[in-house]
Amino acid sequence: MLVGYVRVSKTDGSQITDLQRDALLATGVDPQHIYEDSASGKQDDRPGLAACLKALRGGDTLVVWKLDRLGRDLRHLVNTVHELTARGIGFRVLTGHGATIDTTTPSGKLVFGFFGALAEFERELIWLAPVLWSRRCESRINRYGWFVGTA
């Protein structure tokens, strides 16, 4: 079964989900199986997404219009799709930069594997930057505790 998720960022009514919903319906998603949120993707509290993920069963496929509709950041996307895969649920993106992603196919699994590697690389860079900055600053403190040079 195909299950859809749509999201707009603003809650003031200036954005609507019609374009996303039409694309999901054209793909074959039943209107009763489309979950919706009106909240920023950076927010953790998205009841529509929570209900959608809870409703999915093994053999289902989660369909989104664009990749950024599902996740807050790359790490969140990779973790979410990894959890879906572990439950036997596919993931499909209809348009945008992630349009080649369909984890029900071997090529889609490969593409998402690259995303996973990029997320791991991003985590390492985030950890490494403050460490290197701290070492650089420590090397510029003289024996009297004064900072020497430019940061």
Side-chain angles (χ1 to χ4, degrees), residues 89-104:
I89 298 165
F91 177 63
R92 187 170 167 202
V93 180
L94 299 180
T95 189
H97 294 292
T100 57
I101 298 176
D102 182 351
T103 62
T104 62

Side-chain angles (χ1 to χ4, degrees), residues 12-102:
D12 63 5
S14 63
Q15 296 177 336
I16 56 174
T17 60
D18 292 352
L19 182 64
Q20 297 176 54
R21 185 175 293 280
D22 290 346
L24 295 179
L25 293 173
T27 304
V29 178
D30 187 312
Q32 296 176 346
H33 297 123
I34 296 178
Y35 295 83
E36 182 176 332
D37 275 320
S38 293
S40 170
K42 292 183 180 184
Q43 290 182 348
D44 287 333
D45 184 31
R46 292 189 280 164
L49 179 60
C52 178
L53 295 175
K54 186 176 180 180
L56 289 163
R57 303 286 177 246
D60 290 349
T61 299
L62 174 59
V63 183
V64 295
W65 180 60
K66 286 177 68 176
L67 193 57
D68 67 349
R69 299 295 86 194
L70 179 65
R72 297 187 306 268
D73 54 31
L74 186 58
R75 183 180 308 145
H76 179 257
L77 281 169
V78 170
N79 290 341
T80 301
V81 174
H82 179 66
E83 290 170 11
L84 293 174
T85 303
R87 293 171 49 197
I89 298 165
F91 177 63
R92 187 170 167 202
V93 180
L94 299 180
T95 189
H97 294 292
T100 57
I101 298 176
D102 182 351

